[in-house]
Amino acid sequence: MAVDSVAATTASSNPWANAASSSKDANSASINYDNFLQLLIAQMKNQDPTDPMDASEQISQLASFSQVEQTIQTNTHLKSMLQAEALTRAGDTVGKYIMSADDTTTGKVKEVQVFSDGVIAVTEAGDKILLQAGVVVSDKEIQAKSETEKSDSAASAADDGSST
């Protein structure tokens, strides 16, 4: 009997996403040694007596089973480590200045809220900024650009590119 490979599913890049479901998936994908031995005994009972299964093949299957189980446990531990590291980094933003990805909201981070699908920094003014690509975090105060400054800089960039 051949042992099929187990396809690993990848979660999103966010370490909080699908944390609960992946541990449930690992539990349902993982069978214990008793289940394996029951399968092995059933296989031995139902094998062709003229062509019995080789003992080395049984040992190979047991080794494959052990590797899959260890890989599942390693992935679970790795996910826990990534979550702890992400929480530490999120906590490090408290007390620093932040500017949103669209350059409209700035402030000093008062607290960080951690959700299953992301992290939100709350400023002292009560503004909420999703920690994502493009967000600026600094030890020094950051000034947000006003809408007129943005449109002026965009217009001057367009003028510079079209002039000959």
Side-chain angles (χ1 to χ4, degrees), residues 18-39:
N18 303 322
S21 64
S22 64
S23 63
K24 290 178 195 170
D25 294 341
N27 289 338
S28 65
S30 175
I31 60 174
N32 60 28
Y33 285 104
D34 291 334
N35 295 104
F36 177 78
L37 291 175
Q38 288 175 353
L39 288 171

Side-chain angles (χ1 to χ4, degrees), residues 4-53:
D4 294 332
S5 64
V6 175
T9 59
T10 58
S12 65
S13 62
N14 186 340
W16 293 281
N18 303 322
S21 64
S22 64
S23 63
K24 290 178 195 170
D25 294 341
N27 289 338
S28 65
S30 175
I31 60 174
N32 60 28
Y33 285 104
D34 291 334
N35 295 104
F36 177 78
L37 291 175
Q38 288 175 353
L39 288 171
L40 188 61
I41 290 169
Q43 180 181 354
M44 292 173 75
K45 284 182 182 178
N46 296 314
Q47 69 182 336
D48 182 4
T50 61
D51 185 24
M53 184 178 189

Side-chain angles (χ1 to χ4, degrees), residues 4-144:
D4 294 332
S5 64
V6 175
T9 59
T10 58
S12 65
S13 62
N14 186 340
W16 293 281
N18 303 322
S21 64
S22 64
S23 63
K24 290 178 195 170
D25 294 341
N27 289 338
S28 65
S30 175
I31 60 174
N32 60 28
Y33 285 104
D34 291 334
N35 295 104
F36 177 78
L37 291 175
Q38 288 175 353
L39 288 171
L40 188 61
I41 290 169
Q43 180 181 354
M44 292 173 75
K45 284 182 182 178
N46 296 314
Q47 69 182 336
D48 182 4
T50 61
D51 185 24
M53 184 178 189
D54 185 23
S56 62
E57 188 177 341
Q58 292 174 349
I59 298 298
S60 174
Q61 287 181 6
L62 181 60
S64 296
F65 169 74
S66 180
Q67 285 178 326
V68 168
E69 187 176 45
Q70 294 237 340
T71 301
I72 290 171
Q73 290 176 358
T74 301
N75 287 344
T76 302
H77 293 302
L78 182 59
K79 180 169 280 206
S80 296
M81 288 174 50
L82 288 172
Q83 288 174 340
E85 191 267 339
L87 283 170
T88 301
R89 286 192 317 168
D92 288 344
T93 61
V94 175
K96 296 192 177 183
Y97 294 93
I98 191 168
M99 182 168 57
S100 62
D102 61 359
D103 299 341
T104 58
T105 307
T106 62
K108 188 172 187 178
V109 178
K110 177 177 81 171
E111 64 185 48
V112 177
Q113 298 174 344
V114 179
F115 297 96
S116 62
D117 58 348
V119 179
I120 294 179
V122 180
T123 65
E124 291 176 341
D127 296 325
K128 294 182 178 183
I129 300 171
L130 176 65
L131 294 182
Q132 62 181 352
V135 170
V136 177
V137 179
S138 174
D139 290 331
K140 297 179 183 177
E141 191 168 358
I142 304 169
Q143 295 297 324

